[in-house]
Each structure stands twice: as structure tokens, then as C-alpha cells.
Amino acid sequence: MNVSWPDGFSTYDYDDPFEDLIGPLGYKIESDEIRFAFHAGPHHCNTQSTVHGGMLMTFADYALCLTAIWNQTEERCVTVSLQCEFVAAANSGDFLESICEVVRRTGSLVFLRGKIFVGDRTLVAYSGIVKRLRAR
């Protein structure tokens, strides 16, 4: 799928079969913050014609994991826990963004929190824990 990204956004240069199926998912770096994004299409929607909760959770997980390993060149991670509070709905055609922050990094875990939004409207508040793994 060809996507026209706003200035500064691009996609990661790696293959992930699931993310390739639902994406493209993008990111950009602003100061010390990573901002994630995707364009919602009809294939992201449920029978109510709003973006499916499973897609929103997938997007939260994407932002959670990539934030956890950002600048950790020898690390990968897996999600241990993800909690989502759905606050508002999104529609096909919306440009969804997410920001996420590390709350605490331990020797084996990373604790994070973030939000998904369209403009100034918050859609999902989320938090999670990921397990740190050495890259292969």
C-alpha cells in the first residue's frame, strides 16, 4: 500500500509479516520523542465503520515495543502486559498517531505508558510492560 506521509514520517526498514499486513505503520522523531502513525483505511474498521479495537491495541503494542527498544541497539522485546482504555472512536480516513514514554527500565523489564490520538482527540490511553531480550 502506497501512503503519503506527512513531513518527517517514514516506515521502519525491516520485515514484520503481521505489521506488513496491517500497515504501513510509520514513525518520526521530534526532539527526544518518537511519534508513531498510520492512516486508517476501511480494512482497519469493524461493522460499526470505526477503527477496530484490535487494530488500536495492535498499534499501541507497536508503539510500546519500539519505544522500549529505541536506542537499545542490542535489544528486542516481547510484550508481557498491555492495558488499554478506549476513550473515543476513529474512522476510516483518519490519521492516527501515538506517543509513548518509558516510565522505568529494569534489568529485564520496561514499563511504559502512552496514548493514541487524532489531532487533539485522545482515542486510547494505554500502559504496558515488555520483557527485554538480546537481539539475535
Side-chain angles (χ1 to χ4, degrees):
M1 171 190 230
N2 281 337
V3 170
S4 176
W5 293 102
D7 285 345
F9 280 95
S10 59
T11 56
Y12 280 96
D13 187 26
Y14 68 89
D15 291 323
D16 182 296
F18 184 71
E19 289 170 10
D20 291 345
L21 180 66
I22 62 164
L25 304 176
Y27 78 101
K28 81 174 183 178
I29 300 169
E30 293 181 325
S31 303
D32 289 337
E33 179 181 81
I34 310 165
R35 186 175 289 250
F36 304 94
F38 80 98
H39 292 274
H43 62 289
H44 296 121
C45 293
N46 56 27
T47 59
Q48 303 295 5
S49 298
T50 60
V51 175
H52 195 284
M55 180 60 202
L56 294 171
M57 292 180 78
T58 297
F59 185 48
D61 186 61
Y62 168 81
L64 185 87
C65 288
L66 290 175
T67 299
I69 63 170
W70 193 257
N71 292 330
Q72 307 296 314
T73 57
E74 297 300 315
E75 284 192 20
R76 303 255 172 146
C77 67
V78 293
T79 305
V80 173
S81 175
L82 174 61
Q83 297 81 44
C84 293
E85 289 80 41
F86 299 95
V87 180
N91 299 296
S92 181
D94 284 346
F95 184 69
L96 284 74
E97 297 182 77
S98 181
I99 54 174
C100 187
E101 67 174 327
V102 173
V103 175
R104 182 169 182 231
R105 185 181 305 278
T106 71
S108 62
L109 300 172
V110 183
F111 298 81
L112 305 105
R113 66 177 165 221
K115 70 177 182 174
I116 298 172
F117 54 95
V118 172
D120 62 355
R121 188 168 51 96
T122 298
L123 307 176
V124 180
Y126 63 89
S127 61
I129 305 166
V130 299
K131 170 89 173 131
R132 300 171 70 185
L133 305 171
R134 290 259 176 235
R136 295 184 202 184

